[in-house]
Amino acid sequence: MLVDRFGREHRDLRISLTDRCSLRCTYCMPAEGVPWLRGPDLMTTAELVRIATVAVAEGITEVRLTGGEPLLRPDVVEIVAALTALSGPSGPPEVSLTTNALRLPALATPLADAGLSRVNISLDTLQRDRFKELTRRDRLTDTLAGIAAADVAGLHPIKLNAVVMRGVNDDEVVDLVRYAVDHGYEMRFIEQMPLDPGHTWLRATMVTGTEILERLATAFTLTEVPGRGSAPAERWTIDGGPSTVGVIASVSAPFCGACDRVRLTSDGQLRSCLFARTESDLLGLLRAGADDDALAAALHTCLEGKLPGHGINDPTFLQPDRPMSAIGG
């Protein structure tokens, strides 16, 4: 098993397929974008699958494909098919995907046929003008069409993720939950984290998980769901269920003690934490001729250096050098 020095077993591998994105969300990247990685610096599909094969053999049971926007990868369907064909000590991994949904109308059914289990979809607002301002693209209609396509393709449960920002979309949390409940989706709200490329995030202005719940409680009866385990979201049933809402309070209520996630960037760098300041170069090892045992050893060494927590609330905290789009969610 991939166990760190604090006894945390790591079963969830997040793989970024690309650092590129079709949106320009204000909390993720500037309007002009960021310098993209060069093609030769990215993992090829064969390299990605080779690393994933080793990780699954070492105990990874879930693979989440992220970006950037993973659906911009031309061979994303082939990647899903290759990953779902892997097998480890617990059998094949569950393969899921986080997306902005813009390409799901064309890809949802092929992805489901390839073995994709479910999707997480970003939806920060239901207002067209606000969506355009937040993402710098007028694509709300396309996003909603993508969500509907995922539903038809059976990529359930469909989880909708919204980053809640003060004075931007915090007045929509009730509307977003009602939309999700009406369609059979699960709404999840995320505290804004210090991962913006401009490094302008301020804890004092962040909307906390407690504030989100207080606002939801004005419209719904919430009952906490027990047994969170290693999941990042705390969940509540809405008005007695069966619908639920989740809150990911990474800043105000860290869940690092139960973290089971490790991340692989699109250029083959392994990160033990979303906020890690160091990386392990698996792609360099692979291209230098490393065998599977050497790759497995690198996985274990990386996790041996994992810190007990992300340290956001520590006075010495420094943001990662890479923005969220380059790290992968």
Side-chain angles (χ1 to χ4, degrees):
M1 297 298 300
L2 292 168
V3 183
D4 67 14
R5 57 200 170 103
F6 302 100
R8 294 172 293 195
E9 294 182 359
H10 292 73
R11 301 179 180 275
D12 185 335
L13 174 63
R14 310 289 173 96
I15 302 178
S16 175
L17 299 188
T18 178
D19 61 330
R20 296 173 185 259
C21 190
S22 42
L23 300 178
R24 296 291 182 271
C25 297
T26 56
Y27 54 81
C28 188
M29 65 175 69
E32 65 276 11
V34 295
W36 308 124
L37 291 166
R38 300 183 311 118
D41 296 329
L42 297 174
M43 291 183 292
T44 65
T45 297
E47 289 167 338
L48 182 158
V49 173
R50 169 96 180 278
I51 294 172
T53 301
V54 173
V56 169
E58 293 300 306
I60 290 296
T61 59
E62 179 179 352
V63 177
R64 173 83 63 82
L65 301 178
T66 70
E69 171 46 51
L71 297 186
L72 292 180
R73 180 101 175 199
D75 57 350
V76 62
V77 174
E78 290 76 14
I79 289 173
V80 169
L83 293 176
T84 56
L86 300 179
S87 186
S90 301
E94 178 189 63
V95 180
S96 58
L97 185 143
T98 297
T99 176
N100 61 26
L102 297 185
R103 298 200 67 214
L104 279 178
L107 289 174
T109 296
L111 287 167
D113 291 343
L116 190 72
S117 63
R118 58 184 177 82
V119 288
N120 286 19
I121 298 173
S122 300
L123 182 67
D124 295 317
T125 178
L126 291 166
Q127 299 180 25
R128 181 178 175 182
D129 289 344
R130 183 174 285 178
F131 186 96
K132 183 177 180 181
E133 183 177 356
L134 264 174
T135 68
R136 303 184 178 98
R137 301 290 188 271
D138 189 8
R139 304 294 300 273
L140 176 59
T141 300
D142 299 321
T143 296
L144 297 179
I147 296 171
D151 196 359
V152 170
L155 294 171
H156 302 138
I158 294 173
K159 298 179 181 179
L160 306 179
N161 295 338
V163 177
V164 183
M165 293 158 283
R166 193 176 305 281
V168 177
N169 66 342
D170 56 329
D171 60 335
E172 276 192 84
V173 295
V174 170
D175 291 340
L176 285 163
V177 169
R178 285 186 171 135
Y179 168 80
V181 170
D182 288 346
H183 291 82
Y185 311 144
E186 180 183 328
M187 194 69 223
R188 306 199 314 172
F189 297 107
I190 304 172
E191 290 181 342
Q192 187 178 5
M193 295 177 284
L195 288 165
D196 59 302
H199 291 203
T200 59
W201 176 90
L202 293 173
R203 195 192 192 290
T205 60
M206 180 194 75
V207 181
T208 67
T210 298
E211 290 179 79
I212 294 168
L213 289 171
E214 288 173 348
R215 185 160 299 203
L216 292 176
T218 65
F220 311 107
T221 298
L222 303 178
T223 305
E224 187 170 359
V225 177
R228 175 183 180 182
S230 61
E234 292 185 271
R235 297 167 63 235
W236 285 261
T237 57
I238 301 168
D239 294 339
S243 298
T244 62
V245 62
V247 176
I248 302 176
S250 304
V251 179
S252 65
F255 41 88
C256 302
C259 180
D260 69 344
R261 290 168 294 285
V262 61
R263 288 172 168 80
L264 182 67
T265 66
S266 56
D267 57 347
Q269 305 300 304
L270 191 70
R271 299 174 64 89
S272 62
C273 174
L274 185 59
F275 296 94
R277 299 284 299 174
T278 58
E279 300 174 329
S280 298
D281 185 8
L282 296 192
L283 184 58
L285 271 178
L286 195 157
R287 289 182 177 178
D291 61 14
D292 288 356
D293 288 342
L295 291 172
L299 283 167
H300 286 277
T301 299
C302 176
L303 289 175
E304 285 170 5
K306 185 167 182 170
L307 298 175
H310 54 48
I312 292 176
N313 297 308
D314 191 303
T316 62
F317 173 78
L318 294 173
Q319 280 191 225
D321 292 329
R322 296 196 197 217
M324 185 69 166
S325 60
I327 295 172

